[in-house]
Amino acid sequence: MATQQEIKESLETFTENYNNNDRLKIMNRDWNRVVVVKATDVDSVHTWVLQDGVLKLKEGEADAPDLTVISDSETLADVFYGDITPIEPYNDGTLRIMGSEDDITRLDFICLMIWGE
Amino acid sequence: MKRVVSVSLGSTKRDHKVTVELLGEEFEIARMGTDGDFNRALELLRDLDGKVDAIGLGGIDVYLFVKEKRYAIQDGLKLMDAVKTTPVVDGSGLKNTLEREVVRILAAETGLLKKGAKVLMVSSVDRFGMAEALAEIGCAMTFGDLIFTAGIPYPIMTVEELEEIANKLLPEITKMPFHLVYPTGKKQESQDEAKVQKFAHFYHNAEVIAGDFHLIRRFMPSGMQGQIILTNTTTSDDIEFLKEKGVGTLVTTTPEYGGRSFGTNVMEAALVAILGKQWDQISAQDYLDLLHRLNFRPRVVTLQA
C-alpha cells in the first residue's frame, strides 16, 4: 500500500513531466479537461485541471470531472511515477477510468507519451 | 477449387463472395463480418480451421511494422491463435510489399502521385511501407495517426517523427482493447460527426488521402474538391459515398472482384493458398514475384467528370 504522500508525489512528478514536455502541451491545447484521481484504500483525492495545454494539480475533488481515475494506492503511485503503464491495470480492472471512450483513449496516449520521452 | 475466407470484425453488411481464377486455378473468396463481436469471430475461425485453404483476418491488424520492428496487437493474436491448422494472415505481409509497389507504379506511370503532392495518411502505423514509399517519392506528408486514432490534433510531418512516436506508443497501445483505437462493427457504418467537423481542414488541405478506408470514411467531411483516395477495401456503396463527398479519383491497391476490392488480408490469404507455404516461410520477394505473375495493378476509378 502506498501512502497519501506517495500518491501526491507521484501526481506531482507526472504533472512536472507533462509540463516540461513542450510537444505534449502543443498536442493538448484544444483539450480542456478536469480529471479526478481517487484511491480506494487510503484517503487521497486529487484533481488535475488541464487548460490550454497546461496541467495543474490540486488536492480535493472537483464537482463535475470529465474523467475519474480510481484504483488502489499502490497502483496509482506506480502508474503516475511511471513504474508501470496504465494499460495492464486498466485491462485487468485494477484501474478504473470513468469518462467518454475518446477521453480515456486520449489520456492513455498522453501517459504513454510522457514515459516514452 | 480453393477456398479463402476472410473473417472480419467489421459489419456483416460488407459480406461478399466471388469466384475468381488466379493462375489457372479457381478460387472461392468470401468475406464474413461479425459486427464487432469478438467471440463470434473466434467461433467462426475455429469452425473454419481445417476446412478452407487460407484464412484472412479483417477489421483488425495483428502485426504492425515500423521499419524492422514488429508489434503484435494482443486482440489480433487471440484471433490468430484460434486457428491451429489452416494458414491465417492479417494482410500485413502483403501490405508492406504491395503498397510500396502501388506507390511506385502510380508515381512512375500515372500523374496521380507527384513530388510535392500534399498527402494525408489517416493512419500510417498499419501501413508503414506505404508511408515510407510516399515520403521517398517526395510527397509532402501529414501522418494523422494521433489525430484520427486518439483525437489529438497533432499532425506528424516526417517519417522520422512518426517512427519515434510509433516506437514510443505501440508497445503499450497494442495491448489496449482494439475497439478503443479503431472503429469496429457498427461504427464502420457511421461517421464521427464531431471529429468530421473538427478535423475537416486536414482533408480539405490534402491532394491525396491515403490509408485504411474505414478510417478515411469515418472522418471524411463534405466539400471535398476532387481529391485522390488511395486505399484498399471499397464496395460500390463506398464509391457512391466518395462521389457524394466530392472525391475525384479512387485508387485501390487490391484488384476489383465482383464490384468491390477486397481487403489486403483476403488477397494475402489467396496468395498464401497459391504459394502453399506457411506464412512465416514466405518472403517479401515471394509476394512480389507472385504479384508480377498475377499482373496485379492498382485499380483507378474516376469519380468526377
Side-chain angles (χ1 to χ4, degrees), chain A residues 23 27 30 85 87 90-91 101-102 105-106 108-109 112-113 116-117, chain B residues 151-152 154 161 164 168-169 172-173 175-177 179-180 187 195 198:
Chain A
R23 185 164 63 176
M27 286 181 181
D30 69 316
T85 73
I87 308 296
Y90 178 74
N91 284 347
E101 270 195 4
D102 280 358
T105 302
R106 189 158 176 174
D108 282 337
F109 271 70
L112 297 175
M113 288 294 292
E117 292 285 341
Chain B
I152 299 171
Y154 182 84
E161 189 176 19
E164 180 229 337
K168 193 171 292 176
L169 296 179
E172 293 298 319
I173 294 297
K175 296 176 190 167
M176 286 173 72
H179 68 88
L180 287 180
K187 273 189 185 176
K195 286 184 187 159
K198 186 173 180 181

Side-chain angles (χ1 to χ4, degrees), chain A residues 49-88:
Chain A
V49 177
L50 180 58
Q51 182 77 37
D52 301 327
V54 177
L55 188 61
K56 289 182 180 161
L57 178 69
K58 55 187 182 185
E59 292 205 37
E61 188 165 7
D63 281 343
D66 300 291
L67 285 159
T68 304
V69 180
I70 302 172
S71 192
D72 60 83
S73 56
E74 192 72 34
T75 302
L76 288 178
D78 283 348
V79 164
F80 293 112
Y81 267 130
D83 291 337
I84 60 172
T85 73
I87 308 296
E88 203 167 312

Side-chain angles (χ1 to χ4, degrees), chain B residues 64-121:
Chain B
L64 302 175
F65 291 89
V66 179
K67 294 205 167 160
E68 296 81 22
K69 291 186 183 167
R70 186 178 81 168
Y71 298 97
I73 293 175
Q74 299 303 303
D75 277 354
L77 279 183
K78 285 179 199 160
L79 293 176
M80 199 169 246
D81 287 346
V83 182
K84 305 297 181 196
T85 308
T86 303
V88 55
V89 295
D90 69 334
S92 58
L94 182 60
K95 267 187 212 168
N96 214 20
T97 310
L98 171 70
E99 294 185 348
R100 284 179 192 275
E101 185 73 353
V102 165
V103 169
R104 189 192 64 74
I105 291 170
L106 291 174
E109 301 175 21
T110 75
L112 294 170
L113 285 178
K114 292 175 186 159
K115 187 176 180 180
K118 290 188 278 184
V119 178
L120 167 67
M121 275 195 83

Side-chain angles (χ1 to χ4, degrees), chain B residues 204-238:
Chain B
H204 289 147
N205 290 341
E207 296 165 72
V208 179
I209 293 133
D212 177 89
F213 188 73
H214 295 302
L215 287 176
I216 290 176
R217 186 191 186 287
R218 188 156 173 78
F219 303 109
M220 179 174 280
S222 299
M224 301 293 286
Q225 294 184 314
Q227 281 92 337
I228 297 162
I229 303 297
L230 174 56
T231 188
N232 60 332
T233 315
T234 54
T235 64
S236 49
D237 286 347
D238 296 329

